[in-house]
Amino acid sequence: MTQHFIKLGEGYGDVYELITLIDSMPNRVKHLLAFHTHKHGQDVTSIAAILHPTSIGHFQPVYICLEGIPKPKEGQSNVRYDAFKAVSEKIDVNIIELDVQSSTTYYDEELFYQQLIAVLRLNHLLPPI
């Protein structure tokens, strides 16, 4: 089985693209994730969706909007995170929240994704290869 992160981007349009993907294929969504981190002096969040593997090729994508949303704070509205939360409630899949290091901690962004895959496997959110 091949597992890869597919980066959509950091902007508003990218977040809404991820939400549209989730909303249009609710039966493929296995887990929804929020990775919280501290980057350039700000608390930010990446949102992601792990889909079930494809039947042909056994490819398991993890779509991610990397570190583009301010970390949600208790009692404060965050439009993009609230939209992600709304779609999670609509398809009845809980958001799993994890604190991780920033992608800028790593020399290469691919190393960051490899570390996240390892964390997800250790937490049984992704199956072993």
Side-chain angles (χ1 to χ4, degrees), residues 36-122:
H36 304 297
T37 192
H38 191 78
K39 180 179 176 182
H40 303 304
Q42 297 180 349
D43 291 328
V44 293
T45 297
S46 302
I47 58 173
I50 299 174
L51 302 187
H52 289 284
T54 59
S55 57
I56 299 172
H58 302 290
F59 172 70
Q60 187 167 28
V62 181
Y63 289 94
I64 188 166
C65 292
L66 186 62
E67 300 168 346
I69 299 175
K71 183 177 179 182
K73 295 179 182 169
E74 191 81 25
Q76 290 184 350
S77 180
N78 182 323
V79 175
R80 290 175 281 177
Y81 193 81
D82 291 346
F84 185 63
K85 195 173 190 178
V87 79
S88 79
E89 291 168 358
K90 180 180 177 182
I91 67 168
D92 197 29
V93 175
N94 292 330
I95 299 172
I96 300 165
E97 299 187 44
L98 299 166
D99 291 322
V100 298
Q101 292 182 334
S102 168
S103 64
T104 57
T105 305
Y106 297 86
Y107 174 75
D108 182 38
E109 198 172 277
E110 190 59 36
L111 294 174
F112 172 70
Y113 292 133
Q114 289 175 4
Q115 182 260 347
L116 285 182
I117 286 173
V119 168
L120 295 172
R121 285 182 183 153
L122 285 171

